[in-house]
Amino acid sequence: MPYELNEFGQPLGALVANWTVPPRPIAQVLNGTYCRIEPLKPDHASNLYAALGTEQNARGWTYLNYGPFATQVEFEQWIAGICGQSDPVFYALLNPAGTALGLASYLRMEPSAGSIEVGHLHFSPAMARTAIATEAMYLMMQQAFAWGYRRYEWKCNALNSPSRRAAQRLGFSFEGVFRQAGINKGRNRDTAWFAITDGDWPALQKVLVSWLAADNFTAEGKQLSALSDLTAPLLVMRDSGLLAG
């Protein structure tokens, strides 16, 4: 890429023209065909506990900094405590019947830099690897770019292979691993970074809309085209460090 040089012969980044600082996330409902996203409320706790909090779903909390929870009461108290925060801003992910099946949030938003992250992702088994999950992520990234953000991030524990694969499937380009980036439940955490930029978004949006279209699914709901096949050509850099699992 050719760079403009200043009077000292130093390369400069591209000018960012006609861009204004976006607003901080506004808690609002996002409606799709397969899912509905609502600002998290204590009323969602009962459904979410059934979907995420029971003992058989304990493995889903391994790479999060909290959970699993010993009782439903403890879980409901945690949900009540994270509702209404300004960063992260939590959402409940619902199926068409209105049952909350998962959690997501916007976080680490830096409007002055045009950067925002999606995280605290926890999809129940009923939601994982379904159109509900994919559309939920599409709706959240679409809203972020509609607000005017330039960079949409996904970060996860570098040992969390399913999350790393999911990021690439959705069109997030791999940007590297930050070593010893944190401590998770007393253990070292290396963090894998992925991102979509506003330059990536137009082509990716077309792919996601195409994949989510009704004619991409059989009557039984099975996909005809794999999303990972559609997004692979759009990735700026691929993640080659995935572990088995």
Side-chain angles (χ1 to χ4, degrees):
M1 173 185 293
Y3 291 96
E4 181 182 351
L5 303 180
N6 67 8
E7 64 269 31
F8 308 110
Q10 298 165 309
L12 302 175
L15 285 173
V16 180
N18 303 316
W19 179 77
T20 57
V21 175
R24 297 186 70 83
I26 304 160
Q28 64 188 75
V29 173
L30 301 175
N31 285 301
T33 301
Y34 308 102
C35 76
R36 176 180 169 89
I37 300 175
E38 295 181 352
L40 184 65
K41 306 186 295 290
D43 291 350
H44 293 124
S46 179
N47 282 164
L48 287 171
Y49 183 76
L52 305 172
T54 56
E55 185 176 348
Q56 59 265 38
N57 293 328
R59 64 178 291 138
W61 300 94
T62 298
Y63 296 111
L64 295 169
N65 288 330
Y66 39 80
F69 299 90
T71 66
Q72 182 168 346
V73 170
E74 185 180 339
F75 178 83
E76 290 175 347
Q77 290 173 341
W78 174 72
I79 290 290
I82 63 174
C83 291
Q85 297 182 107
S86 60
D87 188 352
V89 178
F90 274 91
Y91 295 87
L93 312 177
L94 288 66
N95 65 13
T99 303
L101 297 177
L103 286 168
S105 76
Y106 293 122
L107 71 158
R108 297 191 181 95
M109 57 284 291
E110 296 184 35
S112 62
S115 176
I116 191 170
E117 181 179 343
V118 63
H120 295 284
L121 301 175
H122 197 167
F123 301 161
S124 69
M127 181 181 174
R129 296 181 295 278
T130 69
I132 299 173
T134 301
E135 186 177 51
M137 293 298 92
Y138 166 71
L139 291 172
M140 290 186 71
M141 64 177 79
Q142 177 181 244
Q143 182 59 70
F145 287 116
W147 280 326
Y149 283 89
R150 305 174 61 235
R151 174 178 171 83
Y152 192 68
E153 297 180 333
W154 175 301
K155 305 187 188 91
C156 63
N157 190 308
L159 297 177
N160 189 349
S161 295
S163 184
R164 291 173 71 160
R165 286 193 293 269
Q168 291 199 135
R169 173 182 175 272
L170 289 164
F172 288 81
S173 290
F174 179 61
E175 296 187 331
V177 173
F178 281 38
R179 298 175 299 156
Q180 296 188 193
I183 298 173
N184 178 30
K185 297 174 179 173
R187 296 181 179 272
N188 176 65
R189 169 174 160 148
D190 296 345
T191 297
W193 284 52
F194 301 81
I196 300 165
T197 68
D198 57 354
D200 304 330
W201 176 238
L204 178 58
Q205 183 178 32
K206 289 179 182 177
V207 162
L208 289 167
V209 169
S210 173
W211 186 87
L212 288 164
D215 60 8
N216 185 46
F217 297 93
T218 66
E220 295 74 33
K222 183 178 179 180
Q223 66 178 1
L224 298 177
S225 298
L227 182 58
S228 56
D229 291 341
L230 301 176
T231 57
L234 304 179
L235 300 178
V236 176
M237 189 162 77
R238 292 189 61 83
D239 182 1
S240 59
L242 295 175
L243 301 171

